[in-house]
Amino acid sequence: MSGIYARRIAVVAASAALAATTGLLTAPTAQAAMPTPVSASTARTYLGQLTVSAEGSSSGYSRDKFPHWITQSGTCNTREVVLKRDGTGVVQDSACAATSGTWHSEYDGASWTASSDVDIDHMVPLAEAWRSGASGWTTAQRQSFANDLTRPQLIAVTDNVNQSKSDQDPGTWLPPRTAYRCTYARAWVHVKHYYGLSVDSTEKSALQSVLNGC
């Protein structure tokens, strides 16, 4: 990982830690969508700037090395913040659990009225990040990545669609709803570029193909 990205991630982690300790880390304003990714043209530029290398090893990987879901505000953790953000008419109880609402899954176009049918997907999966450079990060840096509400890294989707994605990159998995693939590729490149993660050649080719059609 280059020095500039290491410093950038360190600043993000430090800022989050400072905000948490001073009680200033609050949930973002509801926007019923994940943060908008960069444009297709910017994503194509970013993709050209990413390091291309063979995917690294999964040796040593554990989800526990990416602490989530952390408390964001009051009793609300990151998952609960995203459920509220991405849903419509979401009602939460005193513990911040979603008791009702409607969620539209961009990956497959399905709608759900039970939060148990919805997963919060990491756009760039944690294991994929590990193999692309995050194995060299600190735990604090990995925590920031796993709970990032600022970049297009977290999105509420149908649970079994998320499970079918698992830790695959766009070289082997894209959302079944083709109308969302452009946004998906833009978001994927946005996140990888911000965090200085590498791409493998098959992944890059798949992303180029999608972005060229945007």
Side-chain angles (χ1 to χ4, degrees), residues 16-102:
L18 176 62
T21 55
T22 56
L24 297 176
L25 192 60
T26 56
T29 302
Q31 54 188 350
M34 73 174 184
T36 303
V38 294
S39 67
S41 60
T42 298
R44 286 191 289 269
T45 299
Y46 281 3
L47 181 58
Q49 295 170 350
L50 295 181
T51 297
V52 180
S53 63
E55 201 160 83
S57 170
S58 293
S59 177
Y61 168 73
S62 165
R63 288 178 68 85
D64 293 341
K65 293 184 178 181
F66 293 78
H68 66 290
W69 304 109
I70 63 170
T71 299
Q72 293 288 345
S73 177
T75 60
C76 301
N77 67 26
T78 309
R79 171 182 163 82
E80 292 155 347
V81 169
V82 177
L83 282 173
K84 176 74 171 179
R85 182 197 73 187
D86 289 6
T88 302
V90 178
V91 175
Q92 296 172 309
D93 63 21
S94 59
C96 209
T99 57
S100 63
T102 302

